[in-house]
């Protein structure tokens, strides 16, 4: 069982060493960098990774490009702000002792996030299972803008592994706010719009409160105390913002359509 670890990066000099160190046991490490302006590529190369520069096409497409550069069929996909726990490493190492016939085609891992100085249990943030270890001959990344995931072929067998993937994604409140406003909400709105989803003024108004209740109450965020409240509040902000941006796209599309219709009428 030869494993290639893949990581996509953009200006991750503060994260890339710890990420690579946590997957040093893999047979190959491929880093696909979206034209970083810091020392990300230099650090990755110094740690023995195969580094490829590739312009940013979106999360799903970039991760699939990384998979296609791998020398081995087995892929372990890691984000630069994630680390493999010792327990998860042991679970993967145990697979190597099994005969090929006893291996599944893909493996789910639980991801545990560190936020405001504590490991989060609720709010939908845990176990947050991710399919990260898989045969590239049996699965691939969906070409999604955001919240990308691996899609396995029909008939593929998927099992779960013990141990967590440790996630250090949010540095502080300002960072969390920027992530939503500059990345996740705009990408989510575009993805919803492209998929044909539409919203209304009522939808925009209710998206935030609904997300807050879902995160804090229905998904158990209250168990994490003030951190759970903060996560729920940002979930509400994200839901409000992406629906507002979707509403704006709808409005702009209608305006463009009306302009074309008036132009066609004047031409006739």
């Amino acid at each position: 069982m030869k494993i290639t670890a893949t990581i996509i990066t953009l200006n991750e000099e503060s994260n890339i060493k710890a990420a690579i160190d946590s997957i040093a046991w893999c047979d190959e490490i491929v880093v696909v960098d979206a034209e970083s302006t810091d020392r990300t590529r230099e650090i990755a190369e110094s740690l023995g990774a195969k580094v490829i520069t590739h312009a940013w096409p979106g999360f799903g497409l970039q991760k699939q490009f990384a998979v296609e550069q791998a020398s081995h069929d087995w892929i372990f996909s890691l984000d630069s702000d994630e680390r493999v726990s010792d327990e998860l490493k042991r679970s993967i190492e145990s697979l190597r002792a099994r005969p090929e016939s006893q291996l599944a085609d893909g493996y789910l891992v639980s991801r545990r996030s560190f936020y405001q100085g504590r490991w989060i249990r609720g709010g939908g943030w845990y176990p947050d299972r991710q399919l990260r270890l898989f045969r590239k001959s049996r699965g691939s990344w969906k070409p999604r803008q955001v919240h990308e995931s691996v899609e396995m072929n029909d008939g593929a067998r998927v099992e779960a592994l013990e141990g967590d993937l440790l996630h250090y994604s949010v540095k502080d409140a300002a960072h969390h706010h920027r992530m939503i406003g500059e990345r996740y909400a705009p990408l989510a709105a575009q993805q919803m719009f492209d998929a044909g989803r539409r919203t209304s003024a009522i939808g925009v108004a209710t998206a935030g409160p609904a997300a807050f209740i879902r995160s804090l109450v229905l998904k158990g965020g209250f168990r994490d105390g003030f951190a759970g409240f903060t996560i729920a509040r940002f979930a509400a902000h994200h839901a409000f913002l992406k629906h507002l941006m979707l509403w704006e796209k709808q409005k702009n599309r209608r305006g463009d359509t009306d302009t074309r219709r008036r132009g066609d009428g004047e031409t006739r």
Side-chain angles (χ1 to χ4, degrees), residues 10-77:
L10 174 61
N11 294 331
E12 293 287 354
E13 66 177 5
S14 63
N15 275 320
I16 191 63
K17 183 182 186 304
I20 290 178
D21 285 346
S22 80
I23 50 171
W25 44 269
C26 288
D27 301 285
E28 179 184 48
I29 298 173
V30 172
V31 173
V32 173
D33 183 74
E35 301 173 322
S36 291
T37 56
D38 62 6
R39 298 178 59 248
T40 298
R41 292 192 299 273
E42 178 185 340
I43 295 170
E45 287 174 345
S46 72
L47 295 170
K50 173 183 176 183
V51 179
I52 300 165
T53 302
H54 188 251
W56 182 252
F59 283 100
L61 289 172
Q62 190 79 324
K63 288 188 175 182
Q64 183 56 31
F65 177 82
V67 167
E68 292 164 359
Q69 313 313 305
S71 303
H72 307 302
D73 189 36
W74 280 101
I75 304 296
F76 185 81
S77 180

Side-chain angles (χ1 to χ4, degrees), residues 28-166:
E28 179 184 48
I29 298 173
V30 172
V31 173
V32 173
D33 183 74
E35 301 173 322
S36 291
T37 56
D38 62 6
R39 298 178 59 248
T40 298
R41 292 192 299 273
E42 178 185 340
I43 295 170
E45 287 174 345
S46 72
L47 295 170
K50 173 183 176 183
V51 179
I52 300 165
T53 302
H54 188 251
W56 182 252
F59 283 100
L61 289 172
Q62 190 79 324
K63 288 188 175 182
Q64 183 56 31
F65 177 82
V67 167
E68 292 164 359
Q69 313 313 305
S71 303
H72 307 302
D73 189 36
W74 280 101
I75 304 296
F76 185 81
S77 180
L78 186 76
D79 289 345
S80 56
D81 57 4
E82 296 171 341
R83 315 288 180 256
V84 175
S85 67
D86 290 340
E87 184 181 5
L88 178 56
K89 177 185 174 182
R90 287 193 296 269
S91 293
I92 297 174
E93 293 282 1
S94 71
L95 297 178
R96 295 180 185 243
R98 297 184 187 178
E100 185 73 15
S101 60
Q102 293 183 13
L103 297 175
D105 299 303
Y107 291 91
L108 293 164
V109 299
S110 297
R111 184 167 67 170
R112 184 180 293 274
S113 293
F114 192 75
Y115 188 83
Q116 289 188 346
R118 63 183 296 167
W119 293 106
I120 300 301
R121 299 177 295 165
W125 279 28
Y126 188 78
D128 189 24
R129 291 187 177 88
Q130 308 273 324
L131 206 165
R132 294 299 189 85
L133 179 64
F134 63 98
R135 303 178 198 259
K136 68 178 181 180
S137 57
R138 300 288 284 157
S140 60
W141 286 96
K142 295 179 185 178
R144 293 170 61 90
Q145 291 286 337
V146 67
H147 301 310
E148 66 285 356
S149 61
V150 173
E151 184 173 45
M152 300 301 291
N153 299 346
D154 291 341
R157 184 161 58 96
V158 176
E159 297 179 357
L161 289 174
E162 296 294 326
D164 293 335
L165 197 59
L166 308 179

Side-chain angles (χ1 to χ4, degrees), residues 170-213:
V170 181
K171 299 174 183 176
D172 50 35
H175 181 223
H176 200 167
H177 190 269
R178 288 196 305 273
M179 287 171 62
I180 291 171
E182 298 174 8
R183 181 191 299 177
Y184 290 113
L187 290 175
Q190 186 64 54
Q191 191 162 275
M192 292 163 68
F193 186 77
D194 292 344
R197 290 187 58 183
R198 297 296 180 261
T199 191
S200 63
I202 293 176
V204 174
T206 58
F212 180 83
I213 293 171

